[in-house]
Amino acid sequence: MSNNRKKPVVLVVDDEFSFHNNLVFSFGEYNLISVYKLDSAYPILEAVNLDLVILDVELDSNEVRRYRGVQLLEEIKAQRPELPVVIVTSHQGRKDYPQKLCFDKAD
């Protein structure tokens, strides 16, 4: 008996190559689309019917661009509020995320 169910499509936006590799092994039954830069994520968000986004909120290490991932999250929620987004970061001890991520009490 064949399984004709569509594999869920997951967009991974993270600048850590090892993180992408770990997800490939962990999420074998999903169609993973991996991008390492935010600018690469925008065309995919517009063109592909995604089921989930895994997003690093601190893609850029310099202080000026640190929260570009949060900006992308805000845009995703404005355009596709039903799309689930999992937020990840490898930076420990950040205490300002709750304020930066709570832009809408309905989310």
Side-chain angles (χ1 to χ4, degrees), residues 67-86:
Y67 295 109
R68 287 185 65 211
V70 174
Q71 292 170 347
L72 178 61
L73 173 65
E74 291 171 346
E75 291 180 37
I76 292 170
K77 288 303 175 183
Q79 294 174 13
R80 296 200 42 208
E82 78 288 351
L83 180 61
V85 179
V86 175

Side-chain angles (χ1 to χ4, degrees), residues 2-69:
S2 69
N3 185 353
N4 291 329
R5 286 182 32 186
K6 177 189 121 189
K7 289 183 173 186
V9 180
V10 178
L11 173 62
V12 181
V13 185
D14 194 298
D15 56 355
E16 295 289 331
F17 184 74
S18 61
F19 182 73
H20 289 265
N21 284 342
N22 288 335
L23 285 179
V24 167
F25 290 115
S26 301
F27 289 81
E29 67 268 8
Y30 296 85
N31 285 328
L32 290 181
I33 302 171
S34 292
V35 297
Y36 300 92
K37 296 182 179 184
L38 282 172
D39 295 341
S40 302
Y42 289 101
I44 294 167
L45 286 165
E46 292 178 11
V48 178
N49 186 17
L50 299 169
D51 296 298
L52 175 68
V53 175
I54 300 175
L55 173 63
D56 179 0
V57 291
E58 286 197 23
L59 284 169
D60 293 307
S61 60
N62 76 38
E63 210 45 55
V64 175
R65 299 172 60 177
R66 174 169 278 173
Y67 295 109
R68 287 185 65 211

